[in-house]
C-alpha cells in the first residue's frame, strides 16, 4: 500500500502544481476506497456514509478526511486523485485509504 505524503510535502512533484479540479466543480466527485479502507468501513458500518460522501474537488493527496459515526471519528487519507476522461465527459475520482499513515 502506498504511503501518504508526510512532513508537509504535497502529493505532487515539486515542479508541478496540483490540479484543483476547477473543471469538475459542478460535477460530483466519485469516492473510491482501497481494500483496507473498504474492510474498515464494513466493520464499522461506515459503508453507507462513505458511499454518500460528497467531497470537494479541492481535496488534495495527503488530506485527512474524518468521518464521525457513533461518537467516534474515523480518519481516512486521500491517497490518490484521478481524472477519468471519456467521450461523454470527465469526472474526478478520489481514493481514500485507511489507516492514515505517515503522520
Amino acid at each position: 500500500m502506498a504511503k501518504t505524503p508526510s512532513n508537509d510535502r504535497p502529493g505532487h512533484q515539486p515542479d508541478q502544481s496540483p490540479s484543483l479540479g476547477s473543471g469538475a466543480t459542478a460535477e460530483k466527485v466519485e469516492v473510491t476506497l482501497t481494500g483496507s479502507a473498504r474492510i474498515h468501513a464494513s466493520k464499522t458500518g461506515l459503508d453507507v456514509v462513505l458511499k454518500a460522501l460528497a467531497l470537494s474537488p479541492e481535496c488534495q493527496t495527503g488530506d485527512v478526511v474524518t468521518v464521525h459515526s457513533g461518537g467516534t471519528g474515523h480518519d481516512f487519507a486521500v491517497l490518490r486523485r484521478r481524472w477519468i476522461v471519456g467521450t461523454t465527459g470527465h469526472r474526478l475520482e478520489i481514493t481514500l485509504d485507511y489507516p492514515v499513515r505517515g503522520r
Side-chain angles (χ1 to χ4, degrees), residues 16-56:
Q16 297 174 334
S17 60
S19 161
L20 294 180
S22 58
T25 53
E27 299 175 28
K28 183 179 178 194
V29 174
E30 227 175 83
V31 176
T32 62
L33 304 174
T34 62
S36 60
R38 198 171 17 267
I39 290 168
H40 179 72
S42 176
K43 286 181 179 178
T44 56
L46 295 174
D47 307 78
V48 175
V49 174
L50 290 171
K51 283 184 183 189
L53 193 62
L55 291 178
S56 165

Side-chain angles (χ1 to χ4, degrees), residues 6-103:
S6 57
N7 300 329
D8 296 322
R9 289 186 349 234
H12 56 279
Q13 298 298 319
D15 61 341
Q16 297 174 334
S17 60
S19 161
L20 294 180
S22 58
T25 53
E27 299 175 28
K28 183 179 178 194
V29 174
E30 227 175 83
V31 176
T32 62
L33 304 174
T34 62
S36 60
R38 198 171 17 267
I39 290 168
H40 179 72
S42 176
K43 286 181 179 178
T44 56
L46 295 174
D47 307 78
V48 175
V49 174
L50 290 171
K51 283 184 183 189
L53 193 62
L55 291 178
S56 165
E58 294 164 349
C59 284
Q60 294 298 305
T61 303
D63 286 351
V64 175
V65 176
T66 302
V67 179
H68 288 279
S69 176
T72 305
H74 303 269
D75 290 340
F76 294 83
V78 175
L79 180 67
R80 173 174 48 252
R81 293 167 43 93
R82 178 172 75 146
W83 286 99
I84 302 170
V85 180
T87 57
T88 59
H90 62 278
R91 67 184 189 277
L92 178 63
E93 178 186 87
I94 293 179
T95 303
L96 298 179
D97 191 23
Y98 181 89
V100 174
R101 295 167 171 78
R103 299 265 181 226

